[in-house]
């Protein structure tokens, strides 16, 4: 197997673990919320407080998008994805030792911010690291298989283990998701966006077997970025750089096509109850079956 293929497998392995971790976050919430609703819960929480805990991840994930823009602009893809996973690791520990509503809510807010950043960066990395012929497959692995596997695993564990233990097990996919990116090469697209074209070539060649197709792809990447660099002033501050990039993007027709398509898909997912079921699956199934032992129902 070619060294370039092995490097892409390493990248996709790290991204898959990120997706599993993201799904696990939602699945663990289901078991924890169901346990907190029980009369035997060691933490007394009102129904309103439970709603806040259940919804806080989806609310705060938008903050993760903003933080992601800053981190990736400064540090690149590989360091950003490791940094964004560190708060997730800390949050699992907080949940395990939580003894009041405040600690649980803080853990959810931290998880939501990191979740939002990681899930978006996962898709970005697939586009920038994976070869065009496996990009669609990789995106499906990240967005469907990985996320749903993580959620299903958390649901299953929540039925047979205490919710604190399930939370602590969440560190298992998170730790390698933090460590593995340190063994990646940096994203060629990010290096090119910084004007580091020689490093971009080296990174691209480390990820792709050299042939006519990859040579043309690399030449196109560099030529497009050289053209984009002319739109930025020298010594521009970080805020101005991000603002300029956003302004350039929103003037492109394809940006609005992708945005509208993505918005429509997410509205459909929310209206169909996918997020609701993922977060409250155990509670919903118990209410439907009228039995606390779902596995035997």
């Amino acid at each position: 197997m070619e060294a370039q293929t092995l490097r892409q497998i390493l990248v996709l392995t790290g991204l898959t673990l990120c997706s599993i971790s993201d799904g696990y976050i939602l699945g663990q919430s289901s078991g924890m919320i169901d346990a907190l609703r029980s009369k035997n819960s060691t933490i007394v929480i009102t129904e309103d407080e439970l709603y806040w805990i259940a919804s806080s991840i989806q609310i705060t994930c938008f903050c993760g998008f903003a933080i992601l823009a800053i981190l990736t602009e400064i540090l690149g893809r590989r360091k950003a994805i490791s940094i964004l996973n560190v708060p997730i690791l800390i949050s699992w520990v907080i949940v395990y030792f939580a003894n009041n509503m405040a600690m649980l809510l803080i853990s959810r807010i931290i998880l939501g911010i990191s979740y939002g950043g990681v899930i978006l960066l996962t898709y970005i990395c697939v586009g920038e690291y994976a070869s065009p012929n496996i990009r669609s497959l990789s995106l499906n692995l990240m967005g469907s298989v990985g996320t749903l596997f993580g959620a299903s695993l958390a649901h299953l564990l929540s039925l047979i283990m205490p919710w604190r233990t399930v939370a602590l097990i969440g560190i298992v996919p998170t730790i390698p998701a933090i460590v593995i990116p340190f063994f990646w090469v940096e994203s060629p697209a990010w290096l090119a966006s910084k004007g580091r074209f020689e490093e971009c070539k080296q990174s691209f060649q480390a990820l792709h077997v050299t042939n006519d197709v990859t040579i043309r792809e690399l030449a196109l990447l560099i030529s497009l970025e050289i053209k984009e660099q002319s739109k930025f002033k020298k010594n521009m501050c970080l805020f101005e750089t991000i603002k300029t990039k956003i302004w350039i993007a929103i003037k492109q027709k394809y940006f609005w096509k992708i945005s509208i398509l993505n918005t429509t898909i997410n509205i459909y997912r929310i209206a169909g109850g996918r997020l609701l079921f993922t977060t409250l699956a155990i509670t919903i199934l118990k209410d439907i079956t009228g039995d606390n032992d779902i596995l035997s129902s």
Side-chain angles (χ1 to χ4, degrees):
M1 188 177 291
E2 298 284 351
Q4 292 90 339
T5 304
L6 291 173
R7 292 189 185 98
Q8 287 203 27
I9 290 173
L10 183 65
V11 171
L12 294 176
T13 299
L15 295 177
T16 300
L17 287 166
C18 289
S19 297
I20 291 172
S21 178
D22 283 345
Y24 196 91
I25 289 171
L26 299 177
Q28 184 272 337
S29 296
S30 179
M32 184 181 72
I33 291 168
D34 183 70
L36 292 173
R37 292 178 73 240
S38 172
K39 295 179 180 179
N40 299 322
S41 174
T42 56
I43 302 177
V44 179
I45 293 182
T46 66
E47 286 292 322
D48 288 341
E49 290 171 337
L50 276 175
Y51 294 146
W52 276 107
I53 291 174
S55 62
S56 55
I57 289 178
Q58 283 75 27
I59 294 172
T60 56
C61 71
F62 295 101
C63 299
F65 300 162
I67 292 174
L68 171 66
I70 297 171
L71 280 178
T72 53
E73 182 66 29
I74 299 173
L75 301 175
R77 310 307 190 214
R78 51 197 291 268
K79 290 181 180 178
I81 205 162
S82 291
I83 290 171
L84 285 168
N85 274 295
V86 171
I88 296 177
L89 179 66
I90 295 171
S91 294
W92 291 132
V93 178
I94 293 174
V95 173
Y96 182 77
F97 290 104
N99 55 18
N100 55 54
M101 160 65 179
M103 291 182 70
L104 289 174
L105 187 58
I106 289 170
S107 73
R108 296 295 100 180
I109 291 172
I110 295 173
L111 280 172
I113 294 172
S114 297
Y115 167 83
V118 170
I119 195 170
L120 184 58
L121 185 52
T122 298
Y123 295 132
I124 292 172
C125 286
V126 169
E128 293 182 353
Y129 280 93
S131 297
N133 59 325
I134 63 169
R135 239 166 243 166
S136 298
L137 174 62
S138 300
L139 283 171
N140 283 321
L141 286 173
M142 305 301 116
S144 299
V145 179
T147 303
L148 293 178
F149 174 79
S152 300
L153 178 62
H155 283 129
L156 178 61
L157 292 176
S158 295
L159 294 173
I160 60 179
M161 293 181 179
W163 62 272
R164 293 181 188 274
T165 305
V166 176
L168 199 61
I169 292 174
I171 68 175
V172 174
T174 307
I175 290 176
I178 294 171
V179 175
I180 289 176
F182 285 102
F183 297 95
W184 299 355
V185 295
E186 186 51 82
S187 163
W190 182 81
L191 291 169
S193 72
K194 293 298 180 182
R196 296 157 60 176
F197 298 114
E198 191 58 39
E199 293 176 70
C200 169
K201 290 179 183 179
Q202 294 173 2
S203 178
F204 190 90
Q205 290 167 356
L207 290 166
H208 304 277
V209 177
T210 302
N211 54 44
D212 291 341
V213 174
T214 56
I215 289 172
R216 287 196 298 271
E217 185 181 351
L218 176 59
L220 179 61
L221 171 63
I222 292 176
S223 63
L224 285 174
E225 285 300 334
I226 290 175
K227 182 180 178 181
E228 290 298 315
Q229 294 297 313
S230 63
K231 300 177 183 179
F232 297 93
K233 299 177 182 177
K234 291 184 178 180
N235 302 319
M236 186 180 290
C237 69
L238 176 63
F239 176 75
E240 286 295 326
T241 300
I242 294 174
K243 188 173 72 172
T244 302
K245 287 186 175 182
I246 293 173
W247 179 245
I248 291 171
I250 63 177
K251 291 192 294 183
Q252 304 300 320
K253 189 176 181 179
Y254 72 84
F255 170 83
W256 292 105
K257 287 183 178 179
I258 293 172
S259 297
I260 293 171
L261 177 62
N262 189 54
T263 301
T264 303
I265 291 172
N266 281 291
I267 290 173
Y268 177 78
R269 290 171 63 198
I270 294 169
R274 178 176 171 181
L275 287 177
L276 178 65
F277 185 76
T278 304
T279 308
L280 299 172
I282 294 176
T283 302
I284 292 171
L285 289 174
K286 283 185 177 181
D287 289 342
I288 291 173
T289 61
D291 190 346
N292 287 329
D293 190 359
I294 299 174
L295 292 178
S296 64
S297 298

